[in-house]
Each structure stands twice: as C-alpha cells, then as structure tokens.
Amino acid sequence: MALSPQWLDALRARITLSAVIGRNVRLQKAGREFRACCPFHDEKTPSFYVNDAKGFYHCFGCQAHGDAIRWLTDHQGLAFMDAIKELASEAGMEVPAPDPRAARQAEKRASLHDVTGAAQDWFVAQLATSEGARARSYLAERGISEGTAREFGFGYAPEGRQALKSALSSFSEDMLVEAGMRIAPEDGGRENYDRFRERLMLPIQDARGRVIAFGGRILDSRDGVAKYLNSPETPLFDKGRTLYNLHRAAPASRKAGRMVVVEGYMDVIALAQAGIAEAVAPMGTALTENQLDLLWRHVERPILCFDGDAAGQRAAMKAIGRALPLLRPGHTLGIVRLPSGLDPDDLLRQKGAGALEALLAEPQSMLEALWDFEHAAGPHQTPEDKAGLKERLLSHVDTIAHPDIRSLYRRDLLQRFSAFAFPPREQRPWVKGEFRKGAIQRPAPDVMRTLQRLVQGGSRGGFTAAVLAGLARFPDQIARHEEALLKLARRDKNLAPAIDALIEAGESLDSRAVSPISVINGLPALPDNSLFAFLDEGTDPDEAREDLAEAVSLLVERPALEAALSAATARFDRDPDGSMVEQGRLRDRLLALDQRLKRLGRRRAASARTSIQASPVSAESHVTE
C-alpha cells in the first residue's frame, strides 16, 4: 500500500506524541518537553526526551530517535501497517485503500503542490512589473519593507481572466481548478476564469512551509467585491486545520516561550516587522478545535490578541467558548484586550512595539475575560438582570469537560458574582476596640438566640452542629458557601431558619474580619466524633477553612443523595431492574461520601497526634489534668 507523504504528515499532526508514549512510559514535564529514563536502555538519570511540537522523541544516551510510528514499531513491536492503522484509528482518519485510484490521488496531491508553487513564483514576478506598481505603493503605504515583502512572499495577480492560465499552461485545466486557482462556472455555459485578479497576493503555507493556498486583497474599493479573498478548500488546504504563518512562528515560539494569535494576515506581518515573529492567524473564521490543538502543541498558553472593536471581542469570546470544553491542566488561553477601535497594526503605528509588548506581557486569564465580557453584556439594574448574568456564567462553566477545572471555574465565578450582586452592607461607625484582632463579633441578639437554639437542636445531629459552628468560627466563609447553604435549606426545612440566621449574621458583621461570631461560645459540647480540624484552635486557619469547605460540601450532598435514593426505592414496583441499579449506584456514592467524612476525622486525629508529639510537655500536662 502506498501512503503519500502528505497523508503521513496529516497523521503525525493529529497525534500527540507524549500521549502515545505516556501509555507505557512515565513522563515528567521538563519545560516545553517531557523526559523519562530511556525505555530502550537501562539508565538511572533521564536522557529520553519527547517533543510534541516537533513530533519526535530522542535519547541522548543510546540515540534512539523517531516519531509516533517509529515508537509503535520499535518499542511496541507492531508491524508498520499495524502501527499506521492504530494511530489512524486514534486520530479519526481512514487509511487509504490499497487501490490504483488512491495512488493516483496521492500523486495528484503532490502535483497540486507544483501548481501552487508555480503560481506563487508567477505572482511574485508580477509584483515587480509595471502592472504591480499599485500593489508596491500599497505595501509602502502600509509601512511594509522590501525585506518583509520578500520574506512573506507578497505578489500580485494582474487583471485578466485568463492571465494565470496562460502563465501556467504546463498544467491541465483540471489541476488548476482543483488547486483553487481557477473557477469553473456552475452552469457550465461560460469559460473557466482565474480566481484572483487585480489583487495583492499572499501565499498560505503548511507547517512544512509549502504553499497550499492564497489570500488576495483588493487595492481599491469596489462595490460588491470582497476586500479579502481566500482559496477554497482543496485537497491541500483545510482552513479549519491551518494557521497562517505557523511554519515561521513555531520555531520563534520556542525561543520566545509564547505564541500570539491575531485576526488576520496583515496583523501577523505587522507584528513580525516589529520583532514579534511568533504570531499566527486563523483563516478568517473563529478558532477551531483543530487549530487550538495545533497551538497547544507548541505552547501551553497561546495569547489571543484580537481587535479592540466589538467584532474583535466577539471573536475572542467565540474562541473562549470553543476552548472551554477542551481545557486540561496546564493548557489555557491568555487574552489581550486592545484599546477600543485599534487592531495590532494600528497600535504598533501609533504607540510602537513597546506598547504592544506591555499588553502581551500581562494577558488576562480566560476566567477574567469571561467575567468581564458577560458582566459588560447587559444592564444589571434588576434581580432578573443579575440572575441572567449568573445563568450565562454557569452555562459557560457547564461546557468544561475536566471536572477539577470546571469546579474551580464555578467557585471563582460564583464568588465574583456574589461580590457583585450582594455587596457588603455599609459598615457601622467605627468604635474603638470593637473590631480589634481577636475580638468576638456579636450579631443582633435575636439572630444569636436563633443560632444557639437551632445549633443545639440541629436536626442532622453532631455533624450539622459542627459545620454550623465552623461557619460561626470563620464568618468570612459564610458568603463563600452561601449558595450551598441555601440549597441545603431548600432540601431540609428544619435547617432553613438556622441557615437564614447564619447568613444574616454574616451579612451584619464586618466582612473583612476573621474573628468568630459570639454564638460559638454558646454552643453545646459537641460529641468527640464530631470534633473536626476546623473547630480546633490549633489548626492552621487556611487548612481549617479548606476542611470546612469539604465539610459543607458533604453536608449538602448527603440530603440530595438520600432524597434520590428514596425516589429510586419508591419506583421499584414500576421499574424493578432500573430501581435496583439506581439504588446500588446511589449507595456507592453514599459510601464514598462516608469515606470522605472519615478522612476529615482522620485529618483531625493526625493533627492532634502531631501536636502531642511536637509538645511532650503539653501532652503530659493534658494527661495529668
């Protein structure tokens, strides 16, 4: 079976080499590469490196070297075609059928490279003619130097519907059409004609630097004529899998440690001329999943630098929306917001490279950009407006596939929303000593009485009392867990008054204070098995707050699981099989929840042992007492 170089390149591009090797070898991150002890020879110090951007592995000890295909053949012992089939299945590609037609198609693709290469040479030559004078003037007006024009391959497509056909007469009409250089009218009644006419031409190249398509820009505004015109998709050119300038930006990004994504070709060229060589651009559309994967192969945090107008910000949001489901640890996007109405080229002209470098040095995180965009999207005068903001934020969060990242986004965005929608109440006039460090904060007497009464008779026993006591001890955490507490109050009406009182107490106190609410002094003695680290004054406050957060989560989850278990049990008569399966699943989750609860207790016990071992005198004194 003949596999074309183009098909093999496409296969390699869709495979993440570290993921393939990582199934058999424990890899460690080392800068932009991965390293490990070489699997091909015995060693104690890692000398085996995997580079996803370059698509190969290399051992500096035994000189083993190869790509994903070579790995499967040399390390896994697969035959060449078996390795190809395994990788193709993983990449979602079909292995070319072993027939003469497939071989002819591979040969045709190679020939199409000849067509686009010849067209590029001709366009460049035309730029130097008298017909190309207007295009040369345009480049000068844009501040593009002759050196930059040569490096990026600017050319010119002259007027005339048959000019390119005459120049490339050695290629068949069918090849010119298939390469996207000529247009065949759909009605078939008219003669084929050149696609690009009277346009400044710019080649689009693949990751190996081969010309695969073109972009053309008109020099004078004409009604009904698009300013920019790209080649159509062809056997060589898939716009959703291509990033303009990647073949230059990839090596530059390894030196700079970043890759900048701008909206268009001219922005890329303006940045390159300003000394920022690591810029790429999508093909006139929003970033696709494949383009994001290409970017993440080279850097962990590509920087989006789109225009400062409304369209540019919408393009940035589309990219964020496309990236959210794909996020994984260590891989994200940085967002640069340009001044309103400016594109990168404008900013460079008006304020110089230093102004752009300053913005690129401090990009926003995706989370910050998401909050800013949605917060600015509409009015927030009414509760309905604010609820709409929260709904939009959480709808974005729900698209994130990675559970830890989704949880962290949800927590941060809800905290921002709470700070915006429920700002701290106006502080009472300061009274000397009232909020001194270590002072006990006192909520309104009726609130305090309600908390004391309901904590003492907590309907869910010692654990509920412990959690409420923990929140009273750390009132700065009440707002953080407000949504979870309200969810619990909706499920357990007996707890609702206690939770309402706790939230009211938190709102009535100094939100910046870290002193406990005075109700903690009125709590009953808690059972030994409910003494958790967050109630121990000897626990580090930050650790205590994290343990408290876990306890709140457990307290909220259990009633929900118990309610779901009751519902599953109730439908046994109607659906016995489904009911039993669901009951088993829910009991497993309850068991896992109990294990988490025990771990909280073990952490408390371990903390106590550590304290005793560290202070034998105190321990002896405690026993004596």
Side-chain angles (χ1 to χ4, degrees):
M1 179 186 299
L3 298 173
S4 72
Q6 292 80 16
W7 189 89
L8 290 172
D9 285 346
L11 176 62
R12 294 184 185 101
R14 295 194 192 186
I15 294 295
T16 302
L17 182 58
S18 61
V20 175
I21 295 177
R23 297 175 196 145
N24 309 103
V25 178
R26 185 176 180 180
L27 298 174
Q28 292 181 325
K29 190 70 172 168
R32 292 187 291 275
E33 299 178 320
F34 294 87
R35 68 180 179 186
C37 289
C38 181
F40 294 99
H41 77 286
D42 292 330
E43 63 176 7
K44 296 182 179 179
T45 302
S47 62
F48 179 82
Y49 285 78
V50 180
N51 190 311
D52 283 331
K54 297 179 180 178
F56 66 73
Y57 61 83
H58 182 81
C59 176
F60 291 90
C62 68
Q63 304 304 310
H65 182 94
D67 58 8
I69 301 169
R70 186 73 176 268
W71 171 261
L72 291 183
T73 57
D74 289 6
H75 186 265
Q76 301 297 98
L78 298 184
F80 177 78
M81 282 312 303
D82 290 337
I84 290 293
K85 290 175 182 177
E86 180 172 323
L87 293 173
S89 174
E90 182 177 334
M93 296 175 64
E94 292 187 6
V95 179
D99 59 21
R101 184 174 63 179
R104 287 195 299 271
Q105 288 175 343
E107 183 179 351
K108 180 184 292 185
R109 283 192 292 273
S111 299
L112 292 179
H113 280 297
D114 296 332
V115 174
T116 53
Q120 167 62 9
D121 291 342
W122 185 70
F123 289 141
V124 170
Q126 298 313 297
L127 182 64
T129 66
S130 58
E131 286 187 273
R134 176 71 185 89
R136 295 195 301 273
S137 297
Y138 174 82
L139 291 174
E141 292 166 6
R142 291 293 299 260
I144 297 173
S145 68
E146 291 184 7
T148 301
R150 282 194 301 273
E151 180 184 356
F152 283 87
F154 277 102
Y156 178 67
E159 185 181 6
R161 297 169 66 89
Q162 307 300 326
L164 183 134
K165 174 179 170 59
S166 300
L168 274 60
S169 58
S170 60
F171 298 101
S172 70
E173 181 70 15
D174 288 344
M175 290 185 69
L176 293 172
V177 171
E178 191 164 9
M181 306 310 303
R182 301 264 291 167
I183 294 176
E186 294 182 1
D187 58 18
R190 291 181 294 157
E191 186 179 27
N192 292 358
Y193 56 92
D194 294 349
R195 181 179 300 276
F196 300 103
R197 305 183 306 280
E198 291 187 90
R199 288 181 181 269
L200 180 69
M201 298 299 295
L202 198 60
I204 299 169
Q205 290 143 305
D206 63 12
R208 294 170 59 182
R210 297 172 299 182
V211 177
I212 56 175
F214 292 91
R217 189 195 192 284
I218 60 171
L219 299 172
D220 299 298
S221 298
R222 286 174 275 169
D223 292 340
V225 178
K227 180 186 291 187
Y228 288 97
L229 178 65
N230 287 339
S231 294
E233 295 204 348
T234 70
L236 300 181
F237 178 50
D238 182 340
K239 64 182 180 181
R241 297 180 181 278
T242 304
L243 287 168
Y244 176 71
N245 197 48
L246 182 62
H247 66 295
R248 298 185 191 90
S253 72
R254 289 191 283 275
K255 295 180 181 179
R258 70 184 183 192
M259 188 170 283
V260 182
V261 184
V262 292
E263 286 193 69
Y265 317 129
M266 300 305 290
D267 293 326
V268 168
I269 294 164
L271 265 65
Q273 191 161 265
I276 303 172
E278 61 277 8
V280 297
M283 297 289 105
T285 60
L287 280 171
T288 66
E289 294 180 4
N290 290 305
Q291 288 169 334
L292 286 166
D293 185 59
L294 276 176
L295 291 166
W296 280 329
R297 285 172 184 266
H298 295 282
V299 295
E300 293 184 340
R301 187 182 66 159
I303 301 173
L304 303 191
C305 182
F306 289 169
D307 296 356
D309 57 13
Q313 297 312 304
R314 286 196 298 272
M317 268 307 298
K318 284 183 180 178
I320 290 173
R322 190 65 57 84
L324 285 172
L326 308 176
L327 293 179
R328 58 186 188 271
H331 290 77
T332 185
L333 297 175
I335 311 296
V336 165
R337 299 170 67 91
L338 294 178
S340 179
L342 296 184
D343 61 25
D345 190 19
D346 296 330
L347 184 63
L348 288 169
R349 286 167 173 266
Q350 294 180 17
K351 299 185 178 181
L356 182 56
E357 283 285 7
L359 292 174
L360 294 175
E362 297 184 0
Q364 274 189 312
S365 68
M366 281 180 60
L367 189 146
E368 290 170 333
L370 183 61
W371 167 261
D372 286 350
F373 183 88
E374 291 297 358
H375 183 263
H380 305 298
Q381 302 301 317
T382 67
E384 293 81 5
D385 293 337
K386 294 176 181 178
L389 169 62
K390 182 178 180 181
E391 184 176 52
R392 293 195 304 274
L393 292 170
L394 293 182
S395 68
H396 288 299
V397 171
D398 288 342
T399 67
I400 300 174
H402 194 282
D404 291 339
I405 297 175
R406 183 173 62 247
S407 176
L408 291 167
Y409 263 69
R410 182 183 298 276
R411 175 182 293 183
D412 195 298
L413 288 172
L414 285 176
Q415 286 177 346
R416 291 170 187 255
F417 176 80
S418 295
F420 162 70
F422 310 107
R425 296 183 179 182
E426 183 177 353
Q427 300 299 317
R428 292 171 294 165
W430 179 77
V431 177
K432 183 177 180 180
E434 184 175 6
F435 290 124
R436 67 185 183 276
K437 186 175 181 180
I440 300 297
Q441 297 199 74
R442 301 186 180 278
D446 57 332
V447 172
M448 188 167 66
R449 284 194 298 271
T450 303
L451 276 172
Q452 289 173 339
R453 183 178 65 254
L454 291 166
V455 169
Q456 290 176 26
S459 65
R460 302 204 62 82
F463 184 53
T464 300
V467 172
L468 293 178
L471 290 167
R473 182 166 181 256
F474 294 103
D476 60 317
Q477 298 298 292
I478 295 173
R480 172 183 176 183
H481 301 297
E482 182 174 342
E483 183 175 0
L485 292 170
L486 291 174
K487 186 183 297 184
L488 178 63
R490 288 194 294 269
R491 290 201 178 102
D492 191 333
K493 301 303 182 184
N494 293 326
L495 281 178
I499 290 172
D500 287 344
L502 191 66
I503 292 173
E504 184 178 349
E507 290 178 346
S508 68
L509 300 173
D510 182 0
S511 63
R512 297 162 297 178
V514 295
S515 311
I517 297 174
S518 63
V519 68
I520 196 169
N521 293 340
L523 286 174
L526 295 169
D528 287 343
N529 63 1
S530 65
L531 287 175
F532 298 97
F534 55 79
L535 294 177
D536 183 0
E537 292 187 2
T539 304
D540 177 81
D542 290 335
E543 293 181 5
R545 286 177 172 85
E546 288 308 307
D547 271 11
L548 179 59
E550 172 74 351
V552 172
S553 175
L554 293 172
L555 187 64
V556 173
E557 285 182 47
R558 176 171 285 281
L561 289 175
E562 290 174 345
L565 182 60
S566 297
T569 304
R571 71 168 191 268
F572 178 81
D573 292 339
R574 302 191 309 273
D575 179 19
D577 292 339
S579 172
M580 290 301 294
V581 170
E582 182 69 1
Q583 288 182 55
R585 185 183 70 83
L586 292 170
R587 287 195 177 96
D588 287 343
R589 290 184 61 185
L590 281 167
L591 181 61
L593 188 144
D594 288 338
Q595 293 300 318
R596 288 166 59 192
L597 183 58
K598 289 177 181 177
R599 282 197 293 273
L600 273 179
R602 284 197 295 270
R603 282 205 292 271
R604 168 68 181 91
S607 175
R609 285 196 301 271
T610 301
S611 177
I612 291 172
Q613 292 168 0
S615 304
V617 175
S618 298
E620 185 177 341
S621 172
H622 176 74
V623 172
T624 303
E625 292 175 2

